Amino acid sequence: MSSRRSSRSRQSGSSRISDDQISDLVSKLQHLIPELRRRRSDKVSASKVLQETCNYIRNLHREVDDLSDRLSELLASTDDNSAEAAIIRSLLNY
Amino acid sequence: MSNNQAFMELGWRNDVGSLAVKDQGMMSERARSDEDRLINGLKWGYGYFDHDQTDNYLQIVPEIHKEVENAKEDLLVVVPDEHSETDDHHHIKDFSERSDHRFYLRNKHENPKKRRIQVLSSDDESEEFTREVPSVTRKGSKRRRRDEKMSNKMRKLQQLVPNCHKTDKVSVLDKTIEYMKNLQLQLQMMSTVGVNPYFLPATLGFGMHNHMLTAMASAHGLNPANHMMPSPLIPALNWPLPPFTNISFPHSSSQSLFLTTSSPASSPQSLHGLVPYFPSFLDFSSHAMRRL
């Protein structure tokens, strides 16, 4: 590990900082993913986190699409001037 | 390559190596300096140096990178069979002390070219190849493969995240985190309203709307009892919602309305801001906690 560090910092001075930054961000990312949060935090590799993030974002997209459909159904049957309709519209226009 | 450079590289390599490796390194340093003098004298520096370096490297690597399976296969092929691994440098040294040129001639005709090619072909990222790479590449090949995997995923992420124009890892990750938070929040909002649409009037005391919306919900097959469950995608720990700072959600007059919930909501605008502060969100939250 230490040799990897040294070999990197030899390449460029700032890469060490961004390495730390990246691992910081990856762990933040990990905490946003329910699937990974349940695990022991230090046992998940960065590439696993990224992979899961991709999957998770795709799932979120799917979910948002589903809910958008449901909301537009709801909107269609709601009084156009009602507060509910306005809320639903604002959610759909996100 | 100068002798000094070679020494530096050996030293660097020995950082990670075991004591045994270090000893070997020392040996090969001595051997190398002897050999180097000869080689320089013979003006055959280039070919021999690479050859020698390759041997050194191959000797050291198996102890460091036992877990690199792919590389192992190559190594088995490449290690010279005439010399046992440890005796090799003694040979070199002994021969060079006698300044026996035939050793080098013999060695040259042994097929150094073939070995060189094998080393090169096992290195699949040859675009960065330079003369000193063979000694470094193996060591870094595992890391490089990992790095490549990482940057592939980074590219995928970048495609998934809108408005992510910068390509460096930090900003991609930054954007991803922000985007994911927003998506989660959006889902929370949507599922709260879409799944349980009558909660608004109920909380605000819109008796009439309540009846109407409940009827409407059941008409659409949105049985509240069945659909109350939150999406498993939404992390429960996020629930005490942060104020909507980075979302384009109008919440200008929400404060005043929130304090006077008994008065009917006059404008839809003010209702937007109200949504996240709803008491039913907290109920929802505990519900979510239990399920997750």
Side-chain angles (χ1 to χ4, degrees):
Chain A
M1 201 64 183
S2 62
S3 79
R4 188 183 297 154
R5 273 271 156 78
S6 66
S7 75
R8 284 224 177 148
S9 56
R10 223 172 41 166
Q11 286 162 14
S12 98
S14 65
S15 65
R16 184 169 176 174
I17 298 166
S18 87
D19 265 12
D20 290 349
Q21 244 178 320
I22 286 170
S23 63
D24 222 47
L25 288 170
V26 166
S27 79
K28 263 190 202 166
L29 210 51
Q30 186 188 336
H31 282 273
L32 285 172
I33 302 174
E35 181 121 335
L36 293 180
R37 195 169 34 204
R38 266 174 262 150
R39 301 190 196 179
R40 275 267 149 267
S41 57
D42 44 341
K43 287 196 176 174
V44 186
S45 74
S47 87
K48 172 84 176 165
V49 170
L50 292 190
Q51 183 61 52
E52 287 297 324
T53 306
C54 287
N55 294 343
Y56 184 61
I57 287 180
R58 286 197 197 98
N59 282 340
L60 284 176
H61 281 163
R62 211 174 305 135
E63 193 95 341
V64 167
D65 285 348
D66 278 1
L67 278 169
S68 297
D69 289 351
R70 209 184 292 176
L71 281 179
S72 30
E73 265 179 46
L74 203 59
L75 184 63
S77 58
T78 312
D79 179 11
D80 244 12
N81 297 320
S82 70
E84 293 78 30
I87 290 173
I88 292 170
R89 264 199 301 274
S90 77
L91 283 173
L92 287 175
N93 290 336
Y94 230 93
Chain B
M1 181 192 294
S2 78
N3 213 11
N4 271 349
Q5 269 175 301
F7 275 20
M8 264 170 54
E9 260 192 76
L10 272 170
W12 177 62
R13 228 185 285 147
N14 281 337
D15 280 353
V16 269
S18 62
L19 209 62
V21 172
K22 194 159 194 164
D23 285 340
Q24 277 186 16
M26 296 290 283
M27 236 173 354
S28 55
E29 271 176 27
R30 268 183 281 125
R32 185 192 299 267
S33 58
D34 283 330
E35 195 191 5
D36 196 28
R37 257 177 270 135
L38 262 174
I39 286 167
N40 286 337
L42 293 170
K43 304 269 184 204
W44 284 346
Y46 182 82
Y48 282 133
F49 233 96
D50 269 338
H51 179 88
D52 178 56
Q53 211 178 356
T54 309
D55 281 356
N56 279 342
Y57 183 64
L58 292 174
Q59 275 185 299
I60 292 164
V61 165
E63 296 196 45
I64 306 173
H65 284 296
K66 285 213 166 81
E67 73 277 23
V68 186
E69 299 91 354
N70 293 347
K72 228 176 191 173
E73 228 183 307
D74 295 334
L75 289 177
L76 286 178
V77 182
V78 181
V79 165
D81 34 4
E82 290 90 349
H83 312 288
S84 84
E85 282 191 4
T86 37
D87 284 344
D88 195 10
H89 290 292
H90 289 300
H91 275 289
I92 293 175
K93 196 172 180 235
D94 291 348
F95 275 112
S96 55
E97 272 166 359
R98 282 181 244 141
S99 73
D100 188 350
H101 292 190
R102 267 181 308 149
F103 172 77
Y104 294 102
L105 285 172
R106 187 172 66 86
N107 230 4
K108 183 174 177 85
H109 295 298
E110 241 169 34
N111 60 7
K113 208 172 182 183
K114 191 178 161 200
R115 286 182 200 166
R116 219 172 121 77
I117 285 169
Q118 278 168 337
V119 169
L120 285 181
S121 64
S122 71
D123 173 22
D124 38 7
E125 295 158 274
S126 48
E127 83 269 8
E128 283 181 58
F129 178 76
T130 58
R131 237 182 90 201
E132 54 266 54
V133 164
S135 61
V136 185
T137 309
R138 282 287 172 66
K139 185 181 185 317
S141 74
K142 196 185 171 194
R143 201 190 77 205
R144 272 212 228 163
R145 225 171 296 149
R146 203 196 53 200
D147 281 356
E148 198 174 321
K149 233 167 116 188
M150 281 281 279
S151 46
N152 268 343
K153 283 177 182 145
M154 284 286 178
R155 247 170 278 140
K156 270 188 197 163
L157 265 187
Q158 210 191 340
Q159 284 164 8
L160 282 172
V161 177
N163 299 324
C164 192
H165 303 303
K166 287 187 194 162
T167 50
D168 67 282
K169 287 181 186 173
V170 174
S171 36
V172 170
L173 287 175
D174 242 355
K175 282 272 180 191
T176 307
I177 288 172
E178 194 187 323
Y179 182 59
M180 254 169 64
K181 279 182 181 167
N182 284 348
L183 266 184
Q184 287 177 344
L185 216 49
Q186 183 186 0
L187 261 185
Q188 284 169 7
M189 302 288 302
M190 286 179 113
S191 57
T192 310
V193 175
V195 151
N196 192 14
Y198 68 94
F199 85 97
L200 287 173
T203 327
L204 284 172
F206 286 16
M208 245 172 59
H209 286 262
N210 190 4
H211 288 302
M212 195 186 79
L213 278 169
T214 316
M216 191 173 69
S218 50
H220 279 275
L222 295 177
N223 186 353
N226 288 343
H227 289 270
M228 271 293 278
M229 63 193 72
S231 157
L233 292 175
I234 305 172
L237 290 182
N238 274 3
W239 268 97
L241 278 175
F244 279 17
T245 43
N246 41 3
I247 291 185
S248 56
F249 214 71
H251 58 122
S252 46
S253 54
S254 65
Q255 288 300 333
S256 57
L257 237 187
F258 188 46
L259 294 174
T260 58
T261 17
S262 52
S263 71
S266 46
S267 77
Q269 280 287 320
S270 47
L271 259 179
H272 294 319
L274 253 183
V275 172
Y277 300 102
F278 262 31
S280 64
F281 253 72
L282 298 175
D283 295 338
F284 203 10
S285 142
S286 61
H287 190 76
M289 295 280 221
R290 255 182 281 123
R291 289 195 60 85
L292 290 174

